[in-house]
Amino acid sequence: MPATKPTRKPAAKKQPKTPPKSRATHGPLAPDRIAAILKALDEAYPAAECALIHHSPWELLVATILSAQCTDVRVNLVTPELFRRFPTPAALAQATLPELEELIRTTGFFHNKAKSIQGAAQKIVAEFGGQVPQTLAELITLPGVARKTASVVLGVCFGKAEGVVVDTHVFRISRRLDFAQGETPEKVEQELMRILPQNRWIDFSHQIIHHGRQVCAARKPLCDRCNLEPLCTSKDKIWQS
Ligand code: SF4
C-alpha cells in the first residue's frame, strides 16, 4: 500500500478577542468616572481640611472623640478651655471625671466621653511614652478610639492613609455617587478602599465632608449648584441638568 500522508487537523478558528465585561471598565466604578469625580472634587474643594481646631495629635485625638454625635463647631467651643486646663496626656490623665464632665458637658454623652479621654490619656502615658501612637493597630487600643477616629488622626497629623474616614456625609454621598452600596460605615470604607487610589483616601474624606455640609445635604441636596451633578445618578437628586 502506498504510504499516505498524515492528515493534519484543521487549525482551530481563532476567536476574536473581546475585553472581559467588568465593573472596572463599565458602569459607576469605571476608572474614567472615578477620576472625573475626584477631579471635580479637587476643583470645588482644593484646600479641604479637618474642621476640628487642634495644635497637636493629642488635641486632635481628643477633639475627634468629643465630636461623636456632636458638631465640630460645638467641639471647637469646648476644647480651648479643656486644653488650657489639661494641655498634655500627662495632665489630663490626672484630671478627675467630674472636672472633665463639666468641661465637655455640652458635647453630649459626656459621661462616656470623659471616661474615654481620661482612659486614652492614661494609656498614652503608661504605654506610649506620653506620645500619641502612629499606627492604626495601636490607636484603636485606646479607650474611645475606633477605626474612624484613628484614621482621622493618622491622616491629618501624620499623613498616613491606613483607612478612609467614613462619617455620616461620606457614608451618604459615597452611596449617592454609586461608589458604595454597603449598609454600614465599615462596609462602605472597605468598598472605598478598593476603588480609590490610596493617595486620595485622606483628601477624599475631607472633600466629601465639605460637599455634604455645603451642597449635598441629607434632606435637600443643592443639585443645581453641584459640580458633580452631570456624573451623579442618585435617586435623591432634586434637579437634573
Ligand atoms: S447631584 Fe445632588 S445628589 Fe448628586 S452629589 Fe450633587 S448634590 Fe448630591
Side-chain angles (χ1 to χ4, degrees):
M1 273 178 77
T4 54
K5 274 188 180 177
T7 52
R8 288 179 63 189
K9 276 188 181 176
K13 260 191 177 178
K14 275 191 178 173
Q15 297 295 322
K17 279 186 183 171
T18 51
K21 278 187 183 173
S22 78
R23 296 203 312 173
T25 52
H26 299 86
L29 299 183
D32 285 357
R33 178 177 183 269
I34 294 173
I37 288 175
L38 295 180
K39 183 164 175 278
L41 287 171
D42 282 346
E43 286 163 5
Y45 311 103
E49 288 183 346
C50 177
L52 291 167
I53 297 171
H54 61 280
H55 305 92
S56 67
W58 163 245
E59 289 192 0
L60 182 60
L61 181 72
V62 172
T64 309
I65 292 172
L66 297 181
S67 71
Q69 308 291 315
C70 180
T71 65
D72 290 354
V73 172
R74 166 61 52 194
V75 173
N76 288 339
L77 289 173
V78 161
T79 48
E81 179 60 10
L82 177 68
F83 297 141
R84 191 190 68 75
R85 296 266 302 274
F86 306 109
T88 62
L92 201 140
Q94 302 292 325
T96 66
L97 285 177
E99 280 176 312
L100 294 176
E101 287 174 359
E102 193 52 38
L103 284 165
I104 65 169
R105 179 177 293 270
T106 57
T107 66
F109 303 97
F110 58 92
H111 291 306
N112 282 341
K113 288 179 182 177
K115 276 187 207 152
S116 293
I117 60 175
Q118 185 198 54
Q122 290 170 346
K123 187 156 186 173
I124 287 171
V125 171
E127 298 182 21
F128 298 104
Q131 301 297 317
V132 173
Q134 297 191 24
T135 67
L136 193 133
E138 290 171 317
L139 279 163
I140 60 174
T141 68
L142 301 173
V145 178
R147 212 182 146 83
K148 186 180 96 178
T149 299
S151 291
V152 169
V153 173
L154 287 174
V156 174
C157 296
F158 303 121
K160 290 185 175 179
E162 290 196 35
V164 181
V165 174
V166 178
D167 77 339
T168 182
H169 299 293
V170 177
F171 181 76
R172 177 181 72 256
I173 297 170
S174 296
R175 288 159 50 95
R176 280 180 173 170
L177 291 173
D178 284 323
F179 276 6
Q181 274 86 43
E183 298 291 336
T184 65
E186 292 75 21
K187 286 184 181 162
V188 167
E189 181 185 8
Q190 292 306 314
E191 291 177 88
L192 292 175
M193 287 169 70
R194 277 199 293 277
I195 64 161
L196 297 175
Q198 191 169 4
N199 64 3
R200 294 303 305 251
W201 291 0
I202 299 170
D203 287 346
F204 178 79
S205 291
H206 291 316
Q207 290 171 328
I208 291 288
I209 289 168
H210 279 68
H211 190 56
R213 287 179 176 153
Q214 294 173 21
V215 180
C216 190
R219 289 210 181 140
K220 287 187 185 166
L222 304 174
C223 305
D224 55 334
R225 296 190 211 162
C226 176
N227 74 333
L228 303 181
E229 190 277 328
L231 297 156
C232 177
T233 55
S234 171
K235 62 178 173 35
D236 296 338
K237 275 172 80 168
I238 59 166
W239 184 84
Q240 180 84 37
S241 60

